[in-house]
Amino acid sequence: MSRFFRKLKWPDYVIALVLFGFFAYVWLTIEGTLNYKWRWNLIPGYIVGWHSGREEYFANLLLQGVIATIRISIYASILALILGTVLGVARCSANLTIRMLARTYLELLRNIPPVVVVFIFYFFLSQQFIDALNLERWARGIARQDDNGVWEFFFGEMRRFPSMISGVIVLALFESAFVGEIVRAGIQSIPKGQWEAARSIGMSRFQQMRYVVMPQALKKVTPPLANQFISLIKDSSIISLISVQELTYKTVELVASTRMIFEAWITTACFYFVICFSLSRLFSRLEKRAGKNER
């Protein structure tokens, strides 16, 4: 901590003072002009609550939302990585039809507002998928079982499993467009000499991609993919529009029931910041460590 303060210069202190003054002004304006009564003392109870009957603590609304957001982000990122890699490879295909289909998908999703994309995917794809597999009946059957602890650990409350799957599918389909462009850029950054060398020893195009190009490309695109995963966590708030009960949805519920508008949203913003900033620092440290190992 002392090393951190030694690195600070006088402009840093000026900026910190200006920011402090700005937030103090906003605080006093809300309290004075709007005659708003702050109730920060109630927020901890909506993060971790106390059940008087069972005499134990439990995850309340906001913490439930944080857990759901993390869970959805992990599953959606895995699916987006798989779909995005396929799309990125398709964008570099020798077949014109495959290239054009992949490019059409990527360009449409990258140039349409995410809210529109979410509703289109939800009503035309994910909901049809859930209905076709009859996931709602299956999830209700699991929820009625007594030994469903493992299921709830990985998927949360099983009665809401179809809703979570909808959110994962919608988010993954949307984010896969950006992952696909990252993978495409990584593949095209590999020098042509690598392709020619692989071709000269008799490798097919599939073997060239699998054994020569993709290992190098994935190493190059790891940093932007990490940044895209952080963006995915922030973008997960969009799926609250289709009633997926992640952090933003839970915050809306809390505001509607308590009218703690500013406390709830500031707390939610802090949760998103802590998650994304922590991941940013983690990925930065891993990237530096990988760079040292390569030397």
Side-chain angles (χ1 to χ4, degrees):
M1 185 62 71
S2 60
R3 186 185 301 174
F4 171 77
F5 283 108
R6 282 199 299 269
K7 290 181 180 179
L8 295 178
K9 306 298 181 181
W10 68 266
D12 300 316
Y13 290 105
V14 171
I15 293 172
L17 186 62
V18 170
L19 289 174
F20 177 79
F22 171 75
F23 286 115
Y25 171 76
V26 172
W27 185 289
L28 294 174
T29 300
I30 292 172
E31 197 171 40
T33 306
L34 300 179
N35 196 25
Y36 188 81
K37 301 299 180 184
W38 296 94
R39 291 179 287 168
W40 283 106
N41 59 305
L42 299 179
I43 289 296
Y46 287 101
I47 299 174
V48 178
W50 172 257
H51 196 288
S52 56
R54 296 196 300 264
E55 294 187 348
E56 63 180 13
Y57 289 101
F58 67 96
N60 212 342
L61 280 175
L62 292 178
L63 188 55
Q64 290 173 9
V66 171
I67 295 171
T69 295
I70 294 173
R71 186 183 287 128
I72 289 169
S73 298
I74 291 173
Y75 297 150
S77 64
I78 294 172
L79 184 56
L81 179 61
I82 296 171
L83 294 175
T85 301
V86 172
L87 288 167
V89 172
R91 283 279 281 115
C92 302
S93 173
N95 188 296
L96 178 62
T97 302
I98 295 176
R99 285 205 314 272
M100 292 305 297
L101 287 174
R103 182 172 183 177
T104 302
Y105 178 88
L106 295 174
E107 293 297 336
L108 280 175
L109 264 69
R110 292 172 64 242
N111 294 286
I112 295 178
V115 174
V116 177
V117 174
V118 165
F119 281 115
I120 290 174
F121 278 144
Y122 175 67
F123 289 110
F124 291 99
L125 289 177
S126 67
Q127 194 59 44
Q128 306 301 324
F129 174 78
I130 289 170
D131 293 340
L133 295 181
N134 203 10
L135 287 180
E136 288 192 13
R137 178 182 296 179
W138 175 80
R140 284 196 298 268
I142 296 292
R144 284 192 288 266
Q145 296 177 6
D146 295 329
D147 55 342
N148 61 355
V150 175
W151 289 101
E152 290 192 351
F153 175 79
F154 285 104
F155 302 109
E157 187 177 344
M158 290 305 296
R159 287 186 176 85
R160 297 196 178 105
F161 177 78
S163 174
M164 190 203 76
I165 292 298
S166 294
V168 168
I169 293 174
V170 167
L171 198 59
L173 290 172
F174 173 67
E175 294 292 335
S176 65
F178 299 92
V179 174
E181 278 298 283
I182 293 171
V183 173
R184 188 269 311 162
I187 293 173
Q188 292 182 345
S189 69
I190 304 301
K192 291 184 178 179
Q194 298 281 342
W195 292 87
E196 293 171 357
R199 194 181 305 117
S200 67
I201 60 175
M203 284 188 175
S204 65
R205 186 173 179 83
F206 175 77
Q207 290 174 326
Q208 295 169 34
M209 186 70 71
R210 179 181 176 184
Y211 296 111
V212 178
V213 176
M214 285 305 293
Q216 298 179 71
L218 290 177
K219 188 177 293 185
K220 289 187 175 183
V221 302
T222 297
L225 284 177
N227 291 329
Q228 190 60 41
F229 175 61
I230 294 174
S231 297
L232 185 147
I233 295 174
K234 293 182 288 186
D235 291 341
S236 66
S237 60
I238 301 173
I239 61 176
S240 63
L241 297 173
I242 55 175
S243 300
V244 179
Q245 300 198 8
E246 43 72 66
L247 180 55
T248 301
Y249 186 91
K250 292 290 187 180
T251 305
V252 173
E253 281 189 346
L254 178 59
V255 170
S257 60
T258 64
R259 308 306 300 171
M260 292 192 297
I261 302 171
F262 295 104
E263 296 93 333
W265 286 113
I266 291 173
T267 303
T268 297
C270 289
F271 274 126
Y272 278 117
F273 175 80
V274 168
I275 294 171
C276 294
F277 182 75
S278 299
L279 288 173
S280 176
R281 299 305 302 167
L282 174 63
F283 292 145
S284 177
R285 183 166 298 182
L286 292 175
E287 185 179 348
K288 289 180 180 178
R289 183 176 297 177
K292 289 179 181 178
N293 292 336
E294 287 181 0
R295 293 172 193 170

